[in-house]
Amino acid sequence: MTATRHFLLAAGGTGGHMLPAYALAGELISRGHRVALVSDDRGLKIPGAPAEMETHVLPAGRVSGGPIGWIKAALAIFKGRRMAIDLIGAFDPAVVVGFGGYPSLPSLLAAGATKRPRVLHEQNAVLGRVNRMMAPRVDAVAVAYHNIQRYPAGHELKKHITGNPVRDEIVAIREEGYPPLPEDGIVRLLVVGGSLGATVLSEVVPAAIAMLPPALLSRLQIVQQCREADLETVRAKYADLGVAAECAPYIADFPERLRWAHLVIARAGASTVAELACAGRPAIFVPYPSAMDDHQTYNVVDLVEAGGAISFAQPDFTPAEVAKHIQRMALEPGALENAAARAASCGLPDATRDLADLVESLAAPPMMDVIRVGASSSQRAAASGMASARTGEQ
């Protein structure tokens, strides 16, 4: 039986940072460990956190806004570091894991000051600012892609390809395989644009569908996520074409829709790319051009090189090009099935397990709790009490 350990996770306030942290937390808790998570107010509002996980908010300034902004950020980070040192003293984590974003920085700095093992997880194919700064200082860096940009030279030995954790429902899709696509059968298209949709998809995809030959048009079924402002316009365009289409501002049952789909058109956020690869669904990607360090463009490199996807820079994402690709994939025998298999070859369905294995491997043996320097039994009892008192903090 695995001995119970304590693990402290620290993540930025976006879904891209928080969801992998939630996945790791759930896996560690299922193995009998205790987990606490540090983020900002935004992060702790993101749904999906395991009920058994403690949560804490620590100050962490964002480095921006010129010299005055930098000074304010430094003061906030320093304050957060002092508070994180107190938290580490109370919770006594075996390992501290950072998922990127400025809210992860104080805990990582505090872990260094208290000589705790540190692990980073990078969701994107370009190392983010905080992870880039901390990578030379930590014990291990878990990455999601073979092609990682801006990774510091000389630290390759600490890099581990684990992938991005995905939901169990997505792994189940992979196990079921690609949906049958008989000749002259229905072709099912799923269009998603991130958490809020993307206007470029609402403009280009219906125009591309209008260019398809009538024989293919009659075989299409579409589910498309749209911004609220674009919703009625997109619905009207599909109605005029006589295409069976369902449009909504948010796709609540995304795993079920992904199971249903033969082809996906999407932005290239890390979670989306990981889920499509794991499920084994061919895709047309349109990376968000304003993403920091253009990381969405790099997120799809592995899939594109494997033949499981095609990627268009947004200026090249035109109705004519999209129509051409849909028509080729839908009408060429075996094209969609082949692309699906190639996409699946890039999937890493064991990412959560592998990340948890890596984190556990850096934890000190349980016997170290008995001989930890400076930790008397009374201090450990007090620490346990403080940690328990913080359970459920928002």
Side-chain angles (χ1 to χ4, degrees), residues 160-171:
H160 303 262
I161 299 175
T162 62
N164 276 322
V166 298
R167 292 170 277 183
D168 290 342
E169 300 95 320
I170 303 297
V171 176

Side-chain angles (χ1 to χ4, degrees), residues 271-304:
S271 295
T272 299
V273 174
E275 291 186 335
L276 296 191
C278 183
R281 292 299 184 267
I284 300 172
F285 287 113
V286 193
Y288 181 51
S290 299
M292 185 175 293
D293 298 320
D294 196 25
H295 64 253
Q296 288 202 3
T297 295
Y298 293 101
N299 285 351
V300 301
V301 167
D302 288 353
L303 262 175
V304 170

Side-chain angles (χ1 to χ4, degrees), residues 206-207 209-210 217 232-245 247:
I209 300 302
L217 208 61
E232 293 308 319
T233 300
V234 174
R235 282 176 176 161
K237 288 179 180 178
Y238 287 135
D240 289 344
L241 293 170
V243 174
C247 302

